[in-house]
Amino acid sequence: MSVKQLNEKKLDKYQEVLLKEREETQRIINAINETQKRGAKEGNGDLSAYSQHQADLGSDTDESERRVYILEKELKNIKMINAALKRIYNKTYGICETCGDYISANRLTIVPYAKYCIKCKEEEEQRKRRKK
Ligand SMILES: [Zn+2]
C-alpha cells in the first residue's frame, strides 16, 4: 500500500506560506492586544495595522467590538495554521482528512490550512445546511 504524501519540495513551499501567514496573523493579534491595552485610556487607537488586512466589516460596528471580532478570528486562524504546520512536519499535509485523497493545489493556494478536499468540504457544508 502506498501512502499519499506531497513531495518535500511542495511541503517546503507550503511551510513557507504558512509561516508567513502565521507571522502576519500574529502581528495583527499583537497590534490588537496593544490597542486594547491602551484603548481603555486613549480611545480607539490605531487601526491601520490591520485595517488593510481586514478590509470591510461595516463602518457602523463599534470599533472595540470590531477588534474583538477580528481578534477571535485571527486567534482561530493561528490555531488552524499551527495545525497545518504540524501536518507539514508529519507529512500528512495536503491530504484530505476525510477521504485521504490529495487536496488540489488551487485550494491550498487559497486556503493553505485546508484539512479537507473541496468535495468533502462541500459535503460537510451541505450537511450543516440541512441541519439548520
Ligand atoms: Zn476528501
Side-chain angles (χ1 to χ4, degrees):
M1 195 188 122
S2 75
V3 178
K4 283 189 173 140
Q5 64 180 51
L6 297 184
N7 67 38
E8 295 286 336
K9 212 175 145 195
K10 278 185 189 159
L11 288 174
D12 277 356
K13 195 192 91 186
Y14 288 119
Q15 182 180 3
E16 203 178 301
V17 171
L18 284 162
L19 287 173
K20 232 186 223 168
E21 184 90 13
R22 184 167 71 175
E23 207 174 285
E24 171 71 3
T25 307
Q26 191 61 57
R27 201 176 59 81
I28 294 163
I29 290 169
N30 292 345
I32 295 173
N33 282 337
E34 274 305 302
T35 312
Q36 300 282 61
K37 263 186 252 162
R38 277 177 298 146
K41 288 174 232 153
E42 295 174 25
N44 278 326
D46 184 15
L47 282 168
S48 63
Y50 51 90
S51 59
Q52 283 159 323
H53 187 83
Q54 202 64 49
D56 191 16
L57 281 167
S59 50
D60 56 340
T61 317
D62 174 66
E63 285 298 331
S64 97
E65 243 174 68
R66 190 170 155 231
R67 272 197 294 274
V68 171
Y69 172 85
I70 296 169
L71 186 62
E72 278 173 4
K73 197 164 155 272
E74 299 296 345
L75 285 170
K76 224 171 167 186
N77 278 349
I78 284 254
K79 264 190 209 157
M80 291 199 286
I81 292 166
N82 281 334
L85 282 165
K86 215 182 242 176
R87 291 199 295 280
I88 294 226
Y89 302 137
N90 35 5
K91 303 193 194 306
T92 55
Y93 180 85
I95 309 297
C96 174
E97 287 195 354
T98 303
C99 69
D101 213 340
Y102 287 111
I103 301 169
S104 76
N106 251 347
R107 175 157 165 71
L108 288 175
T109 305
I110 301 163
V111 191
Y113 41 73
K115 268 160 83 174
Y116 307 110
C117 71
I118 193 75
K119 208 183 95 227
C120 292
K121 180 75 188 165
E122 272 168 10
E123 277 167 18
E124 171 78 22
E125 301 278 309
Q126 266 166 16
R127 258 199 301 279
K128 268 191 213 155
R129 266 201 293 275
R130 272 202 291 273
K131 262 188 225 161
K132 275 176 198 165

